[in-house]
Amino acid sequence: MTTDSFVLKGDIVYSLDPQRLSCTEGGYLVCDEGLCAGVFAAGELPGRFADLEVRDFCGQLIIPGLVDLHTHAPQFPNRGLGMDLELLDWLDTYTFPEESRYADLTYARLAYEDFVAELMRGATTRAVVFATLHVPATLLLMELLEDTGLSTLVGKLNMDRNSLPTLVERDALASLDATRQWLNAVAERGFRCTAPILTPRFVPSCSDSLLVGLGALQREFGLPVQSHLSENLAEIAWVRELCPDAASYAEAYLRTGLLGGEGCPTIMAHCVYSDPLETPLLKEQGVWIAHCPVSNTCVSSGIAPVRSYLDQGLRVGLGTDVSGGYSLSLLHSMAEAIKVSKLRWRLVDDGLKPLSVAEAFYLATLGGGSFFGKVGSFEPGFCFDAVVLEDIRRPTDSDLDLEARLERLIYADANDRVLGKYVNGQQIL
Ligand code: GUN
Ligand code: FE
């Protein structure tokens, strides 16, 4: 066996499905050549693994690496700022000016090094990231992420209308040419754990001909796609004006081939207001919804009906959406997902019961992880992505079981406690 085969010993928690956790105190988690070979209770490690090195994290929590399905690296310097406006004014006033700065590679390096260091510090092992429209800065971000060993998908943005003069591509052709140039540079570079994802910012930023051209590029390169969908009421009204022939916002992506389906794995961030016209399309096309509860509160977008999406069998994961959201911590996002689901249940619709701890944990692991393949679980055959966390136990905590410790961690102890991180069996922290 290679050095990618070893055993972690500790208190192991992972999701079996949205409602059920697997909890094993003092258990063994086996990594066999970069893949999980299962979780075994104390004294039950199969003989075939007896010779493997055991790394003992006695009394510490071991969970699958967390998956951030939606965040914006260039907005990291703006986190926690400018939350007095709603989406469209927030973009014009705070976000577009900040993103304009990434034409300057010196600034981009400073900001992206800071972003990458913060992403490494937390419990995230995989992320799907928006960059800006700038090709050199996007390639720089990909280099910095590659150096960490995190598994990421990164998008050079496409935007050819309705922005500042400092942050817009001349026309659809210029945007498509830059995208092709970026994709060729990425292919030539040959990254190991960093890959491109096609990223039309959202419908108001992209002309019809740009979306059509990106659909063709998607089919040519077989790329995954990410964008924003039905986040804010003014945004949705604007899309209705811009695309009067589309029956729903999602259809404006669908008709250009940028909404899931065979060979086009797609993430749509937010879906706060996806209605009965839109959700069947998301289901049919197998689209992943990136639920971003911190952002949805901070820019006053609303509360996505995640319970309803789970009940309908839609694919849902969690996104931090910095800098609509103020933190790259998915532990914070889990707590927020539960909290806003309670407010929605209390104030809007008492038919949709709040999310549980197990459900929020599922969203941040298996729910989002499935976008990357067999990721987000410790079942045999899954990619070995794991995080070792020190949860602080107090003298009064002696009876806490693993589920309670996970709950405490999510709500109250989510700071600075990552002791180790593994991606595909490689230790990266
Ligand atoms: N819609 C289009 N661009 C953005 C962005 O940068 N952040 C958020 N939250 N929504 C968007
Ligand atoms: Fe976003």
Side-chain angles (χ1 to χ4, degrees):
M1 287 190 185
T2 68
T3 51
D4 295 351
S5 300
F6 55 87
V7 179
L8 301 185
K9 185 169 188 290
D11 298 336
I12 302 163
V13 187
Y14 68 96
S15 284
L16 295 167
D17 59 39
Q19 282 77 40
R20 289 183 309 144
L21 295 171
S22 161
C23 297
T24 310
E25 264 182 66
Y28 296 98
L29 170 62
V30 179
C31 176
D32 185 4
E33 304 200 352
L35 297 180
C36 287
V39 172
F40 304 94
E44 292 179 12
L45 186 67
R48 66 185 188 281
F49 301 126
D51 292 338
L52 293 181
E53 175 202 353
V54 177
R55 303 177 190 172
D56 194 347
F57 293 101
C58 178
Q60 317 292 2
L61 282 172
I62 303 175
I63 62 172
L66 304 182
V67 180
D68 192 341
L69 269 197
H70 181 76
T71 203
H72 297 257
Q75 296 175 23
F76 189 62
N78 263 358
R79 71 202 180 287
L81 300 176
M83 290 174 170
D84 53 328
L85 298 174
E86 286 188 52
L87 178 67
L88 300 177
D89 291 332
W90 172 83
L91 286 171
D92 286 341
T93 308
Y94 301 112
T95 308
F96 291 164
E98 178 60 28
E99 289 193 16
S100 300
R101 304 188 71 173
Y102 290 76
D104 172 1
L105 268 183
T106 306
Y107 183 80
R109 178 173 290 281
L110 279 177
Y112 280 156
E113 281 177 350
D114 200 19
F115 166 80
V116 167
E118 179 70 8
L119 199 62
M120 267 309 274
R121 236 167 43 77
T124 301
T125 49
R126 300 199 184 228
V128 190
V129 181
F130 276 54
T132 61
L133 57 77
H134 311 97
V135 172
T138 302
L139 290 168
L140 170 66
L141 174 62
M142 295 177 86
E143 287 292 346
L144 295 171
L145 286 166
E146 176 79 1
D147 286 345
T148 64
L150 294 164
S151 174
T152 61
L153 291 161
V154 179
K156 170 233 170 304
L157 266 59
N158 298 98
M159 39 195 307
D160 71 341
R161 65 175 177 181
N162 296 317
S163 184
L164 305 181
T166 52
L167 190 75
V168 68
E169 295 169 298
R170 196 180 59 247
D171 53 23
L173 263 188
S175 181
L176 293 167
D177 281 351
T179 305
R180 202 174 269 284
Q181 186 204 332
W182 165 61
L183 292 171
N184 288 337
V186 168
E188 208 165 290
R189 167 63 174 79
F191 291 110
R192 196 174 50 85
C193 44
T194 317
I197 180 166
L198 219 52
T199 307
R201 181 175 208 122
F202 67 158
V203 166
S205 296
C206 299
S207 64
D208 290 352
S209 42
L210 177 52
L211 290 176
V212 169
L214 288 173
L217 215 55
Q218 190 284 320
R219 289 184 288 283
E220 182 184 336
F221 286 82
L223 290 166
V225 173
Q226 62 177 348
S227 194
H228 296 92
L229 180 64
S230 297
E231 174 180 5
N232 162 288
L233 292 171
E235 170 211 18
I236 294 167
W238 194 14
V239 170
R240 216 174 283 127
E241 278 172 35
L242 292 167
C243 306
D245 304 333
S248 65
Y249 190 162
E251 199 182 291
Y253 294 114
L254 179 72
R255 65 189 186 182
T256 56
L258 294 168
L259 190 81
E262 187 67 26
C264 182
T266 299
I267 299 168
M268 285 291 159
H270 304 298
C271 301
V272 174
Y273 297 102
S274 294
D275 60 14
L277 270 181
E278 191 157 275
T279 48
L281 280 185
L282 300 179
K283 172 131 194 210
E284 274 162 39
Q285 298 298 108
V287 169
W288 277 261
I289 294 170
H291 175 44
C292 305
V294 180
S295 166
N296 295 158
T297 300
C298 286
V299 287
S300 307
S301 296
I303 305 174
V306 175
R307 159 75 52 221
S308 161
Y309 296 159
L310 288 174
D311 288 351
Q312 292 176 64
L314 293 168
R315 293 167 163 165
V316 191
L318 276 189
T320 59
D321 195 30
V322 164
S323 63
Y326 49 77
S327 162
L328 284 175
S329 167
L330 281 161
L331 294 168
H332 286 149
S333 286
M334 280 186 239
E336 205 66 11
I338 299 168
K339 286 155 65 184
V340 298
S341 75
K342 289 178 178 172
L343 289 176
R344 198 178 197 288
W345 170 72
R346 174 64 64 200
L347 300 174
V348 183
D349 183 352
D350 66 8
L352 294 181
K353 72 177 186 206
L355 297 181
S356 65
V357 167
E359 286 168 328
F361 185 66
Y362 167 87
L363 294 178
T365 55
L366 200 47
S370 60
F371 190 73
F372 287 85
K374 292 188 87 169
V375 167
S377 163
F378 290 148
E379 290 290 302
F382 272 72
C383 295
F384 191 95
D385 292 5
V387 174
V388 183
L389 291 153
E390 179 177 35
D391 60 325
I392 300 301
R393 270 156 289 152
R394 302 190 158 73
T396 47
D397 283 348
S398 57
D399 309 336
L400 291 187
D401 63 16
L402 270 183
E403 198 163 340
R405 283 170 56 194
L406 180 69
E407 182 169 25
R408 167 74 65 74
L409 179 86
I410 289 171
Y411 279 108
D413 274 342
N415 294 320
D416 299 332
R417 309 260 185 251
V418 177
L419 302 179
K421 285 217 269 206
Y422 299 79
V423 177
N424 289 320
Q426 300 283 334
Q427 184 165 10
I428 64 167
L429 186 76

